[in-house]
Short mmCIF file of all heavy atoms in Angstrom, two decimals:
data_model
loop_
_atom_site.label_atom_id
_atom_site.label_comp_id
_atom_site.label_asym_id
_atom_site.label_seq_id
_atom_site.Cartn_x
_atom_site.Cartn_y
_atom_site.Cartn_z
N CYS A 58 110.04 99.30 128.79
CA CYS A 58 111.21 98.45 129.04
C CYS A 58 110.75 97.09 129.56
O CYS A 58 109.73 97.00 130.24
CB CYS A 58 112.12 99.06 130.09
SG CYS A 58 112.72 100.71 129.70
N GLY A 59 111.56 96.07 129.28
CA GLY A 59 111.40 94.76 129.92
C GLY A 59 110.02 94.16 129.70
O GLY A 59 109.50 94.10 128.58
N THR A 60 109.44 93.71 130.80
CA THR A 60 108.13 93.06 130.74
C THR A 60 107.07 94.00 130.18
O THR A 60 106.17 93.58 129.44
CB THR A 60 107.77 92.55 132.15
OG1 THR A 60 108.60 91.41 132.42
CG2 THR A 60 106.32 92.14 132.26
N SER A 61 107.16 95.28 130.50
CA SER A 61 106.18 96.24 129.98
C SER A 61 106.31 96.37 128.47
O SER A 61 105.32 96.54 127.75
CB SER A 61 106.37 97.60 130.65
OG SER A 61 106.10 97.49 132.04
N ILE A 104 104.31 102.54 128.62
CA ILE A 104 103.81 101.52 129.56
C ILE A 104 104.87 101.34 130.65
O ILE A 104 106.02 101.02 130.35
CB ILE A 104 103.57 100.17 128.86
CG1 ILE A 104 102.72 100.34 127.59
CG2 ILE A 104 102.89 99.18 129.82
CD1 ILE A 104 102.50 99.03 126.81
N THR A 105 104.49 101.58 131.88
CA THR A 105 105.44 101.42 132.99
C THR A 105 104.70 101.10 134.28
O THR A 105 103.90 101.92 134.75
CB THR A 105 106.37 102.65 133.13
OG1 THR A 105 107.06 102.55 134.39
CG2 THR A 105 105.65 103.98 133.04
N GLN A 106 104.92 99.93 134.78
CA GLN A 106 104.28 99.50 136.02
C GLN A 106 104.55 100.50 137.14
O GLN A 106 103.63 101.02 137.75
CB GLN A 106 104.81 98.10 136.39
CG GLN A 106 104.21 97.44 137.63
CD GLN A 106 104.82 97.92 138.94
OE1 GLN A 106 104.09 98.27 139.88
NE2 GLN A 106 106.14 97.96 139.03
N SER A 107 105.84 100.74 137.38
CA SER A 107 106.24 101.60 138.50
C SER A 107 105.97 103.07 138.23
O SER A 107 105.79 103.86 139.15
CB SER A 107 107.73 101.42 138.78
OG SER A 107 108.48 101.87 137.64
N GLY A 108 106.01 103.43 136.96
CA GLY A 108 105.91 104.84 136.60
C GLY A 108 107.18 105.61 136.89
O GLY A 108 107.20 106.85 136.82
N THR A 110 110.52 104.33 135.76
CA THR A 110 111.65 103.83 134.97
C THR A 110 112.30 104.99 134.19
O THR A 110 111.63 105.65 133.39
CB THR A 110 111.17 102.71 134.02
OG1 THR A 110 110.67 101.66 134.83
CG2 THR A 110 112.30 102.19 133.14
N THR A 113 112.07 105.21 130.28
CA THR A 113 110.69 105.41 129.79
C THR A 113 110.26 106.85 130.04
O THR A 113 109.67 107.50 129.17
CB THR A 113 109.75 104.40 130.48
OG1 THR A 113 110.27 103.09 130.29
CG2 THR A 113 108.34 104.48 129.91
N VAL A 156 110.28 91.17 142.52
CA VAL A 156 110.98 91.89 141.45
C VAL A 156 110.44 91.46 140.08
O VAL A 156 110.25 92.29 139.18
CB VAL A 156 112.51 91.70 141.58
CG1 VAL A 156 113.22 92.12 140.30
CG2 VAL A 156 113.04 92.52 142.76
N ALA A 157 110.19 90.17 139.91
CA ALA A 157 109.67 89.68 138.63
C ALA A 157 108.21 90.09 138.48
O ALA A 157 107.38 89.79 139.33
CB ALA A 157 109.81 88.17 138.54
N SER A 158 107.94 90.75 137.40
CA SER A 158 106.60 91.30 137.18
C SER A 158 105.64 90.22 136.66
O SER A 158 105.97 89.51 135.72
CB SER A 158 106.73 92.42 136.16
OG SER A 158 105.52 93.11 136.03
N GLN A 165 98.39 95.14 132.32
CA GLN A 165 98.76 95.97 131.15
C GLN A 165 98.10 95.40 129.89
O GLN A 165 97.59 96.15 129.05
CB GLN A 165 100.29 95.99 130.97
CG GLN A 165 101.00 96.83 132.02
CD GLN A 165 102.49 96.55 132.10
OE1 GLN A 165 103.01 95.61 131.49
NE2 GLN A 165 103.20 97.37 132.87
N GLU A 239 108.28 86.95 126.85
CA GLU A 239 108.02 87.17 128.27
C GLU A 239 108.37 85.92 129.08
O GLU A 239 108.95 86.00 130.16
CB GLU A 239 106.57 87.62 128.47
CG GLU A 239 106.11 87.76 129.91
CD GLU A 239 106.91 88.75 130.75
OE1 GLU A 239 107.77 89.47 130.23
OE2 GLU A 239 106.69 88.77 131.97
N LEU A 242 112.16 85.74 129.42
CA LEU A 242 112.68 86.74 130.36
C LEU A 242 112.43 86.31 131.81
O LEU A 242 113.33 86.36 132.65
CB LEU A 242 112.04 88.11 130.10
CG LEU A 242 112.42 89.21 131.10
CD1 LEU A 242 113.93 89.50 131.05
CD2 LEU A 242 111.65 90.49 130.85
N LYS A 243 111.19 85.86 132.06
CA LYS A 243 110.85 85.48 133.43
C LYS A 243 111.77 84.35 133.91
O LYS A 243 112.26 84.35 135.02
CB LYS A 243 109.39 85.04 133.46
CG LYS A 243 108.63 85.41 134.68
CD LYS A 243 107.91 86.73 134.61
CE LYS A 243 108.84 87.91 134.45
NZ LYS A 243 108.12 89.17 134.28
N GLU A 246 115.36 85.60 134.55
CA GLU A 246 115.39 86.54 135.67
C GLU A 246 115.43 85.86 137.02
O GLU A 246 116.18 86.26 137.90
CB GLU A 246 114.14 87.43 135.54
CG GLU A 246 114.03 88.52 136.56
CD GLU A 246 112.79 89.41 136.31
OE1 GLU A 246 111.89 89.01 135.54
OE2 GLU A 246 112.74 90.48 136.90
N LYS A 361 113.67 96.43 141.68
CA LYS A 361 112.26 96.51 141.27
C LYS A 361 112.00 97.72 140.38
O LYS A 361 111.26 97.65 139.42
CB LYS A 361 111.36 96.57 142.51
CG LYS A 361 109.87 96.58 142.21
CD LYS A 361 109.40 95.27 141.59
CE LYS A 361 107.97 95.30 141.10
NZ LYS A 361 107.68 94.19 140.19
N VAL A 363 113.82 100.65 138.09
CA VAL A 363 115.10 100.95 137.47
C VAL A 363 115.19 102.44 137.17
O VAL A 363 114.77 102.91 136.12
CB VAL A 363 115.33 100.09 136.20
CG1 VAL A 363 116.72 100.35 135.62
CG2 VAL A 363 115.17 98.61 136.53
C1 LIG B 1 110.76 91.87 134.65
C2 LIG B 1 110.55 93.25 135.09
C3 LIG B 1 111.20 94.35 134.34
C4 LIG B 1 110.28 95.58 134.25
C5 LIG B 1 111.02 96.76 133.65
C6 LIG B 1 110.11 97.97 133.42
O1 LIG B 1 110.05 90.97 135.41
O2 LIG B 1 109.84 93.49 136.04
O3 LIG B 1 111.59 93.94 133.06
O4 LIG B 1 109.16 95.25 133.48
O5 LIG B 1 112.09 97.12 134.48
O6 LIG B 1 109.54 98.39 134.62
P1 LIG B 1 108.34 99.38 134.65
O7 LIG B 1 107.15 98.68 134.06
O8 LIG B 1 108.14 99.71 136.09
O9 LIG B 1 108.71 100.57 133.82
#
Side-chain angles (χ1 to χ4, degrees):
C58 302
T60 288
S61 296
I104 310 177
T105 168
Q106 183 278 131
S107 64
T110 298
T113 306
V156 165
S158 188
Q165 288 163 351
E239 174 59 7
L242 175 62
K243 216 92 297 175
E246 183 177 15
K361 183 66 188 164
V363 184

